[in-house]
Amino acid sequence: MDQLPAALERAGNEQRWSVADAISRVLKNSEELHSWRRRLLSACMKGLVAVYSSSKDESKQEVERSMLLRLEELLCAVEEVDPDDWCTLVKTGLKYRYRDETFLKVLNIAIQLLYKEESSLSQ
Protein backbone atom coordinates (compact mmCIF):
# COMPACT_ATOMS: atom_id res chain seq x y z
CA MET A 1 0.00 0.00 0.00
CA ASP A 2 2.88 2.36 0.76
CA GLN A 3 4.67 1.63 -2.51
CA LEU A 4 1.65 1.68 -4.82
CA PRO A 5 1.30 5.47 -5.31
CA ALA A 6 4.93 5.69 -6.46
CA ALA A 7 4.30 2.89 -8.97
CA LEU A 8 1.18 4.67 -10.25
CA GLU A 9 3.17 7.80 -11.08
CA ARG A 10 4.97 6.13 -13.98
CA ALA A 11 3.42 5.92 -17.44
CA GLY A 12 2.26 2.46 -18.42
CA ASN A 13 0.92 1.33 -15.04
CA GLU A 14 -2.77 1.80 -15.73
CA GLN A 15 -3.72 -1.74 -14.62
CA ARG A 16 -2.40 -1.03 -11.12
CA TRP A 17 -5.19 1.47 -10.56
CA SER A 18 -7.54 -1.48 -10.01
CA VAL A 19 -5.45 -2.36 -6.93
CA ALA A 20 -5.71 1.27 -5.76
CA ASP A 21 -9.48 1.10 -6.23
CA ALA A 22 -9.65 -2.09 -4.16
CA ILE A 23 -7.65 -0.46 -1.36
CA SER A 24 -9.96 2.57 -1.50
CA ARG A 25 -12.98 0.30 -1.07
CA VAL A 26 -11.37 -1.39 1.94
CA LEU A 27 -10.62 2.02 3.50
CA LYS A 28 -14.11 3.35 2.75
CA ASN A 29 -15.13 3.96 6.37
CA SER A 30 -11.62 4.45 7.69
CA GLU A 31 -9.88 7.59 8.91
CA GLU A 32 -7.03 6.79 6.51
CA LEU A 33 -9.21 7.25 3.42
CA HIS A 34 -8.57 11.00 3.03
CA SER A 35 -4.77 10.68 3.21
CA TRP A 36 -4.92 7.69 0.85
CA ARG A 37 -6.92 9.73 -1.66
CA ARG A 38 -4.45 12.62 -1.38
CA ARG A 39 -1.61 10.23 -2.24
CA LEU A 40 -3.62 8.83 -5.15
CA LEU A 41 -4.39 12.34 -6.39
CA SER A 42 -0.71 13.23 -6.40
CA ALA A 43 0.13 9.96 -8.16
CA CYS A 44 -2.61 10.58 -10.73
CA MET A 45 -1.31 14.06 -11.54
CA LYS A 46 2.27 12.81 -11.82
CA GLY A 47 1.08 9.89 -13.95
CA LEU A 48 -0.70 12.25 -16.34
CA VAL A 49 2.43 14.39 -16.62
CA ALA A 50 4.43 11.25 -17.42
CA VAL A 51 1.92 10.16 -20.06
CA TYR A 52 1.79 13.61 -21.64
CA SER A 53 5.57 13.92 -21.70
CA SER A 54 6.19 10.44 -23.10
CA SER A 55 3.32 10.40 -25.59
CA LYS A 56 3.21 13.81 -27.20
CA ASP A 57 1.11 12.57 -30.12
CA GLU A 58 -2.07 11.74 -28.15
CA SER A 59 -1.84 8.05 -29.09
CA LYS A 60 -3.07 6.87 -25.67
CA GLN A 61 -6.34 8.78 -25.57
CA GLU A 62 -8.32 6.08 -23.75
CA VAL A 63 -5.68 5.79 -21.01
CA GLU A 64 -5.53 9.58 -20.67
CA ARG A 65 -9.30 9.87 -20.58
CA SER A 66 -9.63 7.32 -17.77
CA MET A 67 -6.86 9.04 -15.79
CA LEU A 68 -8.50 12.44 -16.30
CA LEU A 69 -11.82 11.10 -15.05
CA ARG A 70 -10.02 9.59 -12.07
CA LEU A 71 -8.33 12.96 -11.47
CA GLU A 72 -11.70 14.71 -11.50
CA GLU A 73 -13.15 12.18 -9.06
CA LEU A 74 -10.19 12.49 -6.69
CA LEU A 75 -10.21 16.30 -6.87
CA CYS A 76 -13.87 16.36 -5.90
CA ALA A 77 -13.17 14.07 -2.93
CA VAL A 78 -9.96 15.72 -1.69
CA GLU A 79 -10.42 19.36 -2.81
CA GLU A 80 -6.76 20.22 -2.29
CA VAL A 81 -3.56 19.53 -4.20
CA ASP A 82 0.15 19.94 -3.82
CA PRO A 83 0.91 23.26 -5.57
CA ASP A 84 4.01 21.84 -7.31
CA ASP A 85 2.09 18.84 -8.68
CA TRP A 86 -0.72 21.13 -9.81
CA CYS A 87 1.60 23.60 -11.54
CA THR A 88 3.46 20.82 -13.35
CA LEU A 89 0.22 19.19 -14.50
CA VAL A 90 -1.25 22.44 -15.82
CA LYS A 91 1.98 23.43 -17.56
CA THR A 92 2.54 20.02 -19.19
CA GLY A 93 -1.13 19.52 -20.01
CA LEU A 94 -1.44 22.89 -21.72
CA LYS A 95 1.80 22.30 -23.59
CA TYR A 96 0.80 18.93 -25.04
CA ARG A 97 -3.01 18.70 -24.76
CA TYR A 98 -4.31 22.23 -25.22
CA ARG A 99 -6.75 20.93 -27.87
CA ASP A 100 -7.98 17.91 -25.93
CA GLU A 101 -11.57 18.49 -24.91
CA THR A 102 -11.48 16.09 -21.94
CA PHE A 103 -8.31 17.67 -20.54
CA LEU A 104 -9.77 21.17 -20.86
CA LYS A 105 -13.05 20.09 -19.23
CA VAL A 106 -11.30 18.54 -16.24
CA LEU A 107 -8.95 21.54 -16.00
CA ASN A 108 -11.95 23.87 -15.87
CA ILE A 109 -13.63 21.79 -13.16
CA ALA A 110 -10.38 21.68 -11.18
CA ILE A 111 -9.86 25.43 -11.42
CA GLN A 112 -13.41 26.10 -10.23
CA LEU A 113 -12.97 23.66 -7.35
CA LEU A 114 -9.45 24.61 -6.28
CA TYR A 115 -9.68 28.37 -6.65
CA LYS A 116 -12.87 29.04 -4.74
CA GLU A 117 -12.47 31.52 -1.90
CA GLU A 118 -12.10 28.92 0.86
CA SER A 119 -9.26 27.15 -0.95
CA SER A 120 -5.63 27.53 0.08
CA LEU A 121 -4.63 27.76 -3.60
CA SER A 122 -6.78 30.84 -4.13
CA GLN A 123 -4.40 32.78 -1.92
Side-chain angles (χ1 to χ4, degrees), residues 73-117:
E73 176 185 322
L74 288 167
L75 278 169
C76 289
V78 177
E79 294 190 3
E80 58 184 293
V81 296
D82 178 83
D84 293 332
D85 291 345
W86 172 245
C87 189
T88 304
L89 174 67
V90 171
K91 185 172 135 180
T92 307
L94 289 174
K95 182 176 182 179
Y96 297 116
R97 298 299 186 267
Y98 63 92
R99 293 183 188 172
D100 181 16
E101 184 179 335
T102 306
F103 170 75
L104 294 174
K105 177 185 162 252
V106 172
L107 180 63
N108 184 36
I109 291 168
I111 288 170
Q112 304 238 349
L113 185 67
L114 295 173
Y115 290 94
K116 59 186 177 188
E117 286 186 34

mmCIF file of all heavy atoms in Angstrom, residues 73-117:
data_model
loop_
_atom_site.group_PDB
_atom_site.id
_atom_site.type_symbol
_atom_site.label_atom_id
_atom_site.label_comp_id
_atom_site.label_asym_id
_atom_site.label_seq_id
_atom_site.Cartn_x
_atom_site.Cartn_y
_atom_site.Cartn_z
ATOM 1 N N GLU A 73 -12.521 12.842 -10.208
ATOM 2 C CA GLU A 73 -13.153 12.182 -9.058
ATOM 3 C C GLU A 73 -12.350 12.426 -7.779
ATOM 4 O O GLU A 73 -12.903 12.765 -6.727
ATOM 5 C CB GLU A 73 -13.246 10.680 -9.345
ATOM 6 C CG GLU A 73 -13.789 9.835 -8.236
ATOM 7 C CD GLU A 73 -13.713 8.357 -8.582
ATOM 8 O OE1 GLU A 73 -13.948 7.992 -9.746
ATOM 9 O OE2 GLU A 73 -13.398 7.577 -7.669
ATOM 10 N N LEU A 74 -11.035 12.279 -7.862
ATOM 11 C CA LEU A 74 -10.190 12.492 -6.687
ATOM 12 C C LEU A 74 -10.183 13.957 -6.254
ATOM 13 O O LEU A 74 -10.187 14.257 -5.066
ATOM 14 C CB LEU A 74 -8.766 12.007 -6.973
ATOM 15 C CG LEU A 74 -8.590 10.490 -7.037
ATOM 16 C CD1 LEU A 74 -7.235 10.135 -7.627
ATOM 17 C CD2 LEU A 74 -8.760 9.868 -5.662
ATOM 18 N N LEU A 75 -10.165 14.872 -7.205
ATOM 19 C CA LEU A 75 -10.212 16.297 -6.867
ATOM 20 C C LEU A 75 -11.488 16.644 -6.119
ATOM 21 O O LEU A 75 -11.457 17.418 -5.159
ATOM 22 C CB LEU A 75 -10.112 17.148 -8.132
ATOM 23 C CG LEU A 75 -8.723 17.391 -8.679
ATOM 24 C CD1 LEU A 75 -8.800 18.017 -10.063
ATOM 25 C CD2 LEU A 75 -7.918 18.267 -7.748
ATOM 26 N N CYS A 76 -12.593 16.085 -6.562
ATOM 27 C CA CYS A 76 -13.870 16.360 -5.896
ATOM 28 C C CYS A 76 -13.884 15.798 -4.473
ATOM 29 O O CYS A 76 -14.501 16.378 -3.582
ATOM 30 C CB CYS A 76 -15.026 15.794 -6.707
ATOM 31 S SG CYS A 76 -15.313 16.699 -8.235
ATOM 32 N N ALA A 77 -13.198 14.685 -4.265
ATOM 33 C CA ALA A 77 -13.171 14.072 -2.934
ATOM 34 C C ALA A 77 -12.179 14.766 -2.010
ATOM 35 O O ALA A 77 -12.461 14.971 -0.829
ATOM 36 C CB ALA A 77 -12.806 12.596 -3.058
ATOM 37 N N VAL A 78 -11.027 15.169 -2.528
ATOM 38 C CA VAL A 78 -9.964 15.717 -1.693
ATOM 39 C C VAL A 78 -10.031 17.240 -1.596
ATOM 40 O O VAL A 78 -9.815 17.817 -0.540
ATOM 41 C CB VAL A 78 -8.577 15.275 -2.221
ATOM 42 C CG1 VAL A 78 -7.454 15.897 -1.414
ATOM 43 C CG2 VAL A 78 -8.458 13.766 -2.202
ATOM 44 N N GLU A 79 -10.295 17.906 -2.709
ATOM 45 C CA GLU A 79 -10.423 19.365 -2.810
ATOM 46 C C GLU A 79 -9.172 20.142 -2.421
ATOM 47 O O GLU A 79 -9.247 21.294 -2.016
ATOM 48 C CB GLU A 79 -11.613 19.874 -1.989
ATOM 49 C CG GLU A 79 -12.944 19.412 -2.520
ATOM 50 C CD GLU A 79 -14.108 20.098 -1.856
ATOM 51 O OE1 GLU A 79 -13.901 20.982 -1.002
ATOM 52 O OE2 GLU A 79 -15.249 19.764 -2.199
ATOM 53 N N GLU A 80 -8.017 19.518 -2.505
ATOM 54 C CA GLU A 80 -6.756 20.215 -2.287
ATOM 55 C C GLU A 80 -5.656 19.442 -3.012
ATOM 56 O O GLU A 80 -5.746 18.231 -3.171
ATOM 57 C CB GLU A 80 -6.431 20.331 -0.799
ATOM 58 C CG GLU A 80 -6.344 18.998 -0.095
ATOM 59 C CD GLU A 80 -6.106 19.144 1.399
ATOM 60 O OE1 GLU A 80 -5.027 19.606 1.779
ATOM 61 O OE2 GLU A 80 -7.016 18.788 2.149
ATOM 62 N N VAL A 81 -4.664 20.164 -3.482
ATOM 63 C CA VAL A 81 -3.559 19.528 -4.201
ATOM 64 C C VAL A 81 -2.238 20.116 -3.740
ATOM 65 O O VAL A 81 -2.189 21.207 -3.173
ATOM 66 C CB VAL A 81 -3.684 19.705 -5.734
ATOM 67 C CG1 VAL A 81 -4.889 19.016 -6.286
ATOM 68 C CG2 VAL A 81 -3.677 21.175 -6.106
ATOM 69 N N ASP A 82 -1.186 19.410 -4.034
ATOM 70 C CA ASP A 82 0.148 19.943 -3.824
ATOM 71 C C ASP A 82 0.394 20.985 -4.919
ATOM 72 O O ASP A 82 0.228 20.679 -6.100
ATOM 73 C CB ASP A 82 1.178 18.808 -3.927
ATOM 74 C CG ASP A 82 2.583 19.317 -3.764
ATOM 75 O OD1 ASP A 82 3.022 19.491 -2.619
ATOM 76 O OD2 ASP A 82 3.234 19.555 -4.802
ATOM 77 N N PRO A 83 0.746 22.204 -4.559
ATOM 78 C CA PRO A 83 0.913 23.256 -5.575
ATOM 79 C C PRO A 83 1.929 22.915 -6.661
ATOM 80 O O PRO A 83 1.724 23.254 -7.827
ATOM 81 C CB PRO A 83 1.365 24.476 -4.760
ATOM 82 C CG PRO A 83 0.846 24.229 -3.388
ATOM 83 C CD PRO A 83 0.892 22.740 -3.202
ATOM 84 N N ASP A 84 3.007 22.217 -6.307
ATOM 85 C CA ASP A 84 4.005 21.843 -7.310
ATOM 86 C C ASP A 84 3.444 20.830 -8.303
ATOM 87 O O ASP A 84 3.663 20.941 -9.510
ATOM 88 C CB ASP A 84 5.261 21.284 -6.642
ATOM 89 C CG ASP A 84 6.013 22.334 -5.848
ATOM 90 O OD1 ASP A 84 5.919 23.539 -6.194
ATOM 91 O OD2 ASP A 84 6.701 21.962 -4.871
ATOM 92 N N ASP A 85 2.719 19.831 -7.791
ATOM 93 C CA ASP A 85 2.085 18.844 -8.678
ATOM 94 C C ASP A 85 1.087 19.529 -9.608
ATOM 95 O O ASP A 85 1.025 19.234 -10.798
ATOM 96 C CB ASP A 85 1.349 17.772 -7.870
ATOM 97 C CG ASP A 85 2.283 16.852 -7.105
ATOM 98 O OD1 ASP A 85 3.497 16.840 -7.390
ATOM 99 O OD2 ASP A 85 1.789 16.142 -6.205
ATOM 100 N N TRP A 86 0.304 20.430 -9.046
ATOM 101 C CA TRP A 86 -0.723 21.132 -9.812
ATOM 102 C C TRP A 86 -0.085 21.974 -10.920
ATOM 103 O O TRP A 86 -0.502 21.935 -12.071
ATOM 104 C CB TRP A 86 -1.562 21.987 -8.873
ATOM 105 C CG TRP A 86 -2.530 22.899 -9.553
ATOM 106 C CD1 TRP A 86 -2.506 24.260 -9.545
ATOM 107 C CD2 TRP A 86 -3.664 22.529 -10.342
ATOM 108 N NE1 TRP A 86 -3.561 24.747 -10.273
ATOM 109 C CE2 TRP A 86 -4.282 23.711 -10.772
ATOM 110 C CE3 TRP A 86 -4.209 21.315 -10.722
ATOM 111 C CZ2 TRP A 86 -5.414 23.719 -11.577
ATOM 112 C CZ3 TRP A 86 -5.347 21.313 -11.519
ATOM 113 C CH2 TRP A 86 -5.932 22.499 -11.935
ATOM 114 N N CYS A 87 0.925 22.724 -10.568
ATOM 115 C CA CYS A 87 1.595 23.597 -11.537
ATOM 116 C C CYS A 87 2.209 22.772 -12.677
ATOM 117 O O CYS A 87 2.074 23.124 -13.851
ATOM 118 C CB CYS A 87 2.665 24.412 -10.828
ATOM 119 S SG CYS A 87 3.393 25.691 -11.844
ATOM 120 N N THR A 88 2.849 21.680 -12.335
ATOM 121 C CA THR A 88 3.463 20.816 -13.352
ATOM 122 C C THR A 88 2.404 20.212 -14.267
ATOM 123 O O THR A 88 2.590 20.157 -15.484
ATOM 124 C CB THR A 88 4.289 19.704 -12.672
ATOM 125 O OG1 THR A 88 5.259 20.307 -11.814
ATOM 126 C CG2 THR A 88 4.994 18.841 -13.697
ATOM 127 N N LEU A 89 1.296 19.764 -13.691
ATOM 128 C CA LEU A 89 0.224 19.188 -14.498
ATOM 129 C C LEU A 89 -0.358 20.214 -15.459
ATOM 130 O O LEU A 89 -0.525 19.932 -16.651
ATOM 131 C CB LEU A 89 -0.890 18.626 -13.612
ATOM 132 C CG LEU A 89 -2.125 18.127 -14.369
ATOM 133 C CD1 LEU A 89 -1.792 16.904 -15.205
ATOM 134 C CD2 LEU A 89 -3.259 17.841 -13.417
ATOM 135 N N VAL A 90 -0.659 21.398 -14.971
ATOM 136 C CA VAL A 90 -1.248 22.441 -15.822
ATOM 137 C C VAL A 90 -0.282 22.815 -16.936
ATOM 138 O O VAL A 90 -0.654 22.887 -18.107
ATOM 139 C CB VAL A 90 -1.659 23.671 -14.983
ATOM 140 C CG1 VAL A 90 -2.063 24.822 -15.878
ATOM 141 C CG2 VAL A 90 -2.789 23.317 -14.041
ATOM 142 N N LYS A 91 0.974 23.025 -16.582
ATOM 143 C CA LYS A 91 1.981 23.431 -17.562
ATOM 144 C C LYS A 91 2.169 22.358 -18.643
ATOM 145 O O LYS A 91 2.128 22.659 -19.836
ATOM 146 C CB LYS A 91 3.304 23.695 -16.838
ATOM 147 C CG LYS A 91 4.396 24.220 -17.709
ATOM 148 C CD LYS A 91 5.576 24.613 -16.825
ATOM 149 C CE LYS A 91 6.853 24.117 -17.400
ATOM 150 N NZ LYS A 91 8.020 24.478 -16.588
ATOM 151 N N THR A 92 2.332 21.114 -18.234
ATOM 152 C CA THR A 92 2.536 20.023 -19.186
ATOM 153 C C THR A 92 1.273 19.754 -19.991
ATOM 154 O O THR A 92 1.338 19.532 -21.201
ATOM 155 C CB THR A 92 2.977 18.743 -18.451
ATOM 156 O OG1 THR A 92 4.102 19.052 -17.633
ATOM 157 C CG2 THR A 92 3.349 17.650 -19.434
ATOM 158 N N GLY A 93 0.136 19.769 -19.318
ATOM 159 C CA GLY A 93 -1.132 19.524 -20.014
ATOM 160 C C GLY A 93 -1.412 20.570 -21.073
ATOM 161 O O GLY A 93 -1.805 20.251 -22.196
ATOM 162 N N LEU A 94 -1.195 21.833 -20.731
ATOM 163 C CA LEU A 94 -1.438 22.892 -21.716
ATOM 164 C C LEU A 94 -0.415 22.859 -22.845
ATOM 165 O O LEU A 94 -0.715 23.231 -23.978
ATOM 166 C CB LEU A 94 -1.442 24.264 -21.036
ATOM 167 C CG LEU A 94 -2.645 24.541 -20.146
ATOM 168 C CD1 LEU A 94 -2.482 25.863 -19.411
ATOM 169 C CD2 LEU A 94 -3.942 24.531 -20.952
ATOM 170 N N LYS A 95 0.770 22.383 -22.548
ATOM 171 C CA LYS A 95 1.802 22.300 -23.586
ATOM 172 C C LYS A 95 1.466 21.221 -24.613
ATOM 173 O O LYS A 95 1.612 21.440 -25.813
ATOM 174 C CB LYS A 95 3.153 21.998 -22.933
ATOM 175 C CG LYS A 95 4.305 21.934 -23.915
ATOM 176 C CD LYS A 95 5.621 21.742 -23.185
ATOM 177 C CE LYS A 95 6.782 21.721 -24.152
ATOM 178 N NZ LYS A 95 8.064 21.558 -23.440
ATOM 179 N N TYR A 96 1.008 20.058 -24.148
ATOM 180 C CA TYR A 96 0.799 18.929 -25.043
ATOM 181 C C TYR A 96 -0.658 18.621 -25.369
ATOM 182 O O TYR A 96 -0.939 17.940 -26.344
ATOM 183 C CB TYR A 96 1.443 17.666 -24.459
ATOM 184 C CG TYR A 96 2.931 17.783 -24.317
ATOM 185 C CD1 TYR A 96 3.533 17.749 -23.069
ATOM 186 C CD2 TYR A 96 3.740 17.937 -25.437
ATOM 187 C CE1 TYR A 96 4.905 17.856 -22.931
ATOM 188 C CE2 TYR A 96 5.118 18.046 -25.305
ATOM 189 C CZ TYR A 96 5.683 18.007 -24.063
ATOM 190 O OH TYR A 96 7.042 18.113 -23.933
ATOM 191 N N ARG A 97 -1.607 19.075 -24.544
ATOM 192 C CA ARG A 97 -3.006 18.702 -24.757
ATOM 193 C C ARG A 97 -3.945 19.897 -24.768
ATOM 194 O O ARG A 97 -5.098 19.800 -24.380
ATOM 195 C CB ARG A 97 -3.464 17.729 -23.665
ATOM 196 C CG ARG A 97 -2.722 16.421 -23.634
ATOM 197 C CD ARG A 97 -2.872 15.640 -24.927
ATOM 198 N NE ARG A 97 -2.265 14.336 -24.838
ATOM 199 C CZ ARG A 97 -1.025 14.062 -25.201
ATOM 200 N NH1 ARG A 97 -0.233 15.007 -25.656
ATOM 201 N NH2 ARG A 97 -0.550 12.834 -25.098
ATOM 202 N N TYR A 98 -3.484 21.022 -25.236
ATOM 203 C CA TYR A 98 -4.313 22.232 -25.218
ATOM 204 C C TYR A 98 -5.531 22.126 -26.127
ATOM 205 O O TYR A 98 -6.442 22.929 -26.015
ATOM 206 C CB TYR A 98 -3.485 23.468 -25.576
ATOM 207 C CG TYR A 98 -2.903 23.449 -26.971
ATOM 208 C CD1 TYR A 98 -3.576 24.015 -28.034
ATOM 209 C CD2 TYR A 98 -1.667 22.867 -27.206
ATOM 210 C CE1 TYR A 98 -3.054 23.998 -29.309
ATOM 211 C CE2 TYR A 98 -1.134 22.848 -28.473
ATOM 212 C CZ TYR A 98 -1.822 23.419 -29.524
ATOM 213 O OH TYR A 98 -1.295 23.388 -30.779
ATOM 214 N N ARG A 99 -5.582 21.136 -26.996
ATOM 215 C CA ARG A 99 -6.747 20.933 -27.869
ATOM 216 C C ARG A 99 -7.642 19.777 -27.421
ATOM 217 O O ARG A 99 -8.679 19.530 -28.025
ATOM 218 C CB ARG A 99 -6.296 20.650 -29.297
ATOM 219 C CG ARG A 99 -5.634 21.814 -29.953
ATOM 220 C CD ARG A 99 -5.294 21.486 -31.370
ATOM 221 N NE ARG A 99 -4.491 22.541 -31.958
ATOM 222 C CZ ARG A 99 -3.923 22.469 -33.129
ATOM 223 N NH1 ARG A 99 -4.062 21.386 -33.864
ATOM 224 N NH2 ARG A 99 -3.209 23.463 -33.584
ATOM 225 N N ASP A 100 -7.235 19.075 -26.392
ATOM 226 C CA ASP A 100 -7.978 17.907 -25.927
ATOM 227 C C ASP A 100 -9.169 18.353 -25.081
ATOM 228 O O ASP A 100 -9.007 18.952 -24.010
ATOM 229 C CB ASP A 100 -7.056 17.002 -25.115
ATOM 230 C CG ASP A 100 -7.740 15.743 -24.618
ATOM 231 O OD1 ASP A 100 -8.822 15.405 -25.126
ATOM 232 O OD2 ASP A 100 -7.188 15.104 -23.710
ATOM 233 N N GLU A 101 -10.344 18.043 -25.567
ATOM 234 C CA GLU A 101 -11.574 18.485 -24.909
ATOM 235 C C GLU A 101 -11.702 17.949 -23.482
ATOM 236 O O GLU A 101 -12.104 18.670 -22.572
ATOM 237 C CB GLU A 101 -12.781 18.052 -25.746
ATOM 238 C CG GLU A 101 -14.091 18.530 -25.216
ATOM 239 C CD GLU A 101 -15.261 18.099 -26.093
ATOM 240 O OE1 GLU A 101 -15.063 17.849 -27.295
ATOM 241 O OE2 GLU A 101 -16.366 18.006 -25.552
ATOM 242 N N THR A 102 -11.350 16.688 -23.273
ATOM 243 C CA THR A 102 -11.475 16.093 -21.940
ATOM 244 C C THR A 102 -10.510 16.759 -20.966
ATOM 245 O O THR A 102 -10.884 17.071 -19.833
ATOM 246 C CB THR A 102 -11.204 14.578 -21.994
ATOM 247 O OG1 THR A 102 -12.051 13.991 -22.981
ATOM 248 C CG2 THR A 102 -11.475 13.918 -20.664
ATOM 249 N N PHE A 103 -9.274 16.990 -21.401
ATOM 250 C CA PHE A 103 -8.310 17.675 -20.539
ATOM 251 C C PHE A 103 -8.819 19.061 -20.157
ATOM 252 O O PHE A 103 -8.782 19.451 -18.995
ATOM 253 C CB PHE A 103 -6.936 17.794 -21.213
ATOM 254 C CG PHE A 103 -5.997 18.691 -20.464
ATOM 255 C CD1 PHE A 103 -5.405 18.266 -19.287
ATOM 256 C CD2 PHE A 103 -5.732 19.975 -20.912
ATOM 257 C CE1 PHE A 103 -4.554 19.111 -18.570
ATOM 258 C CE2 PHE A 103 -4.888 20.822 -20.210
ATOM 259 C CZ PHE A 103 -4.299 20.379 -19.042
ATOM 260 N N LEU A 104 -9.301 19.813 -21.126
ATOM 261 C CA LEU A 104 -9.772 21.168 -20.857
ATOM 262 C C LEU A 104 -10.990 21.174 -19.937
ATOM 263 O O LEU A 104 -11.118 22.039 -19.069
ATOM 264 C CB LEU A 104 -10.074 21.890 -22.165
ATOM 265 C CG LEU A 104 -8.845 22.162 -23.041
ATOM 266 C CD1 LEU A 104 -9.277 22.744 -24.379
ATOM 267 C CD2 LEU A 104 -7.860 23.073 -22.341
ATOM 268 N N LYS A 105 -11.868 20.191 -20.095
ATOM 269 C CA LYS A 105 -13.050 20.089 -19.235
ATOM 270 C C LYS A 105 -12.641 19.823 -17.785
ATOM 271 O O LYS A 105 -13.109 20.496 -16.861
ATOM 272 C CB LYS A 105 -13.968 18.976 -19.739
ATOM 273 C CG LYS A 105 -15.182 18.742 -18.879
ATOM 274 C CD LYS A 105 -15.979 17.547 -19.388
ATOM 275 C CE LYS A 105 -16.912 17.057 -18.326
ATOM 276 N NZ LYS A 105 -16.511 15.787 -17.735
ATOM 277 N N VAL A 106 -11.747 18.870 -17.595
ATOM 278 C CA VAL A 106 -11.298 18.537 -16.238
ATOM 279 C C VAL A 106 -10.495 19.698 -15.652
ATOM 280 O O VAL A 106 -10.626 20.011 -14.460
ATOM 281 C CB VAL A 106 -10.476 17.225 -16.241
ATOM 282 C CG1 VAL A 106 -9.835 16.972 -14.887
ATOM 283 C CG2 VAL A 106 -11.364 16.050 -16.630
ATOM 284 N N LEU A 107 -9.695 20.365 -16.466
ATOM 285 C CA LEU A 107 -8.947 21.536 -15.999
ATOM 286 C C LEU A 107 -9.898 22.630 -15.514
ATOM 287 O O LEU A 107 -9.692 23.225 -14.455
ATOM 288 C CB LEU A 107 -8.041 22.068 -17.111
ATOM 289 C CG LEU A 107 -7.189 23.285 -16.772
ATOM 290 C CD1 LEU A 107 -6.199 22.963 -15.666
ATOM 291 C CD2 LEU A 107 -6.473 23.781 -18.012
ATOM 292 N N ASN A 108 -10.963 22.870 -16.261
ATOM 293 C CA ASN A 108 -11.954 23.871 -15.871
ATOM 294 C C ASN A 108 -12.618 23.501 -14.538
ATOM 295 O O ASN A 108 -12.760 24.340 -13.645
ATOM 296 C CB ASN A 108 -12.996 24.034 -16.979
ATOM 297 C CG ASN A 108 -13.980 25.133 -16.673
ATOM 298 O OD1 ASN A 108 -13.640 26.159 -16.099
ATOM 299 N ND2 ASN A 108 -15.223 24.918 -17.057
ATOM 300 N N ILE A 109 -13.014 22.256 -14.404
ATOM 301 C CA ILE A 109 -13.631 21.789 -13.157
ATOM 302 C C ILE A 109 -12.649 21.945 -11.996
ATOM 303 O O ILE A 109 -13.015 22.424 -10.916
ATOM 304 C CB ILE A 109 -14.096 20.319 -13.296
ATOM 305 C CG1 ILE A 109 -15.282 20.242 -14.256
ATOM 306 C CG2 ILE A 109 -14.441 19.711 -11.941
ATOM 307 C CD1 ILE A 109 -15.638 18.844 -14.691
ATOM 308 N N ALA A 110 -11.396 21.576 -12.232
ATOM 309 C CA ALA A 110 -10.383 21.676 -11.181
ATOM 310 C C ALA A 110 -10.146 23.124 -10.766
ATOM 311 O O ALA A 110 -10.034 23.420 -9.576
ATOM 312 C CB ALA A 110 -9.079 21.036 -11.665
ATOM 313 N N ILE A 111 -10.079 24.007 -11.737
ATOM 314 C CA ILE A 111 -9.865 25.427 -11.424
ATOM 315 C C ILE A 111 -11.022 25.961 -10.594
ATOM 316 O O ILE A 111 -10.816 26.657 -9.594
ATOM 317 C CB ILE A 111 -9.663 26.244 -12.722
ATOM 318 C CG1 ILE A 111 -8.293 25.929 -13.317
ATOM 319 C CG2 ILE A 111 -9.807 27.734 -12.460
ATOM 320 C CD1 ILE A 111 -8.076 26.492 -14.700
ATOM 321 N N GLN A 112 -12.236 25.635 -10.986
ATOM 322 C CA GLN A 112 -13.408 26.100 -10.232
ATOM 323 C C GLN A 112 -13.387 25.554 -8.800
ATOM 324 O O GLN A 112 -13.726 26.265 -7.855
ATOM 325 C CB GLN A 112 -14.682 25.653 -10.940
ATOM 326 C CG GLN A 112 -14.729 26.109 -12.356
ATOM 327 C CD GLN A 112 -15.927 26.960 -12.649
ATOM 328 O OE1 GLN A 112 -16.832 27.067 -11.861
ATOM 329 N NE2 GLN A 112 -15.902 27.577 -13.809
ATOM 330 N N LEU A 113 -12.982 24.309 -8.658
ATOM 331 C CA LEU A 113 -12.965 23.665 -7.353
ATOM 332 C C LEU A 113 -11.817 24.175 -6.486
ATOM 333 O O LEU A 113 -12.010 24.493 -5.305
ATOM 334 C CB LEU A 113 -12.840 22.151 -7.542
ATOM 335 C CG LEU A 113 -12.917 21.286 -6.315
ATOM 336 C CD1 LEU A 113 -14.314 21.353 -5.714
ATOM 337 C CD2 LEU A 113 -12.578 19.849 -6.668
ATOM 338 N N LEU A 114 -10.647 24.277 -7.060
ATOM 339 C CA LEU A 114 -9.455 24.614 -6.278
ATOM 340 C C LEU A 114 -9.299 26.099 -5.990
ATOM 341 O O LEU A 114 -8.643 26.475 -5.024
ATOM 342 C CB LEU A 114 -8.200 24.101 -6.991
ATOM 343 C CG LEU A 114 -8.089 22.581 -7.119
ATOM 344 C CD1 LEU A 114 -6.901 22.214 -7.980
ATOM 345 C CD2 LEU A 114 -7.999 21.928 -5.752
ATOM 346 N N TYR A 115 -9.884 26.949 -6.826
ATOM 347 C CA TYR A 115 -9.682 28.372 -6.654
ATOM 348 C C TYR A 115 -10.897 29.107 -6.087
ATOM 349 O O TYR A 115 -11.008 30.309 -6.224
ATOM 350 C CB TYR A 115 -9.230 29.012 -7.971
ATOM 351 C CG TYR A 115 -7.827 28.607 -8.348
ATOM 352 C CD1 TYR A 115 -7.601 27.527 -9.187
ATOM 353 C CD2 TYR A 115 -6.727 29.272 -7.822
ATOM 354 C CE1 TYR A 115 -6.320 27.145 -9.515
ATOM 355 C CE2 TYR A 115 -5.444 28.894 -8.150
ATOM 356 C CZ TYR A 115 -5.242 27.833 -8.998
ATOM 357 O OH TYR A 115 -3.964 27.437 -9.318
ATOM 358 N N LYS A 116 -11.771 28.360 -5.435
ATOM 359 C CA LYS A 116 -12.866 29.044 -4.739
ATOM 360 C C LYS A 116 -12.283 29.733 -3.509
ATOM 361 O O LYS A 116 -11.164 29.437 -3.086
ATOM 362 C CB LYS A 116 -13.980 28.062 -4.380
ATOM 363 C CG LYS A 116 -13.570 26.925 -3.499
ATOM 364 C CD LYS A 116 -14.704 25.942 -3.335
ATOM 365 C CE LYS A 116 -14.234 24.769 -2.493
ATOM 366 N NZ LYS A 116 -15.186 23.713 -2.451
ATOM 367 N N GLU A 117 -13.000 30.658 -2.951
ATOM 368 C CA GLU A 117 -12.470 31.520 -1.896
ATOM 369 C C GLU A 117 -11.927 30.766 -0.690
ATOM 370 O O GLU A 117 -10.942 31.193 -0.086
ATOM 371 C CB GLU A 117 -13.533 32.509 -1.439
ATOM 372 C CG GLU A 117 -13.771 33.620 -2.426
ATOM 373 C CD GLU A 117 -14.714 34.673 -1.889
ATOM 374 O OE1 GLU A 117 -14.688 34.920 -0.663
ATOM 375 O OE2 GLU A 117 -15.451 35.242 -2.685
#
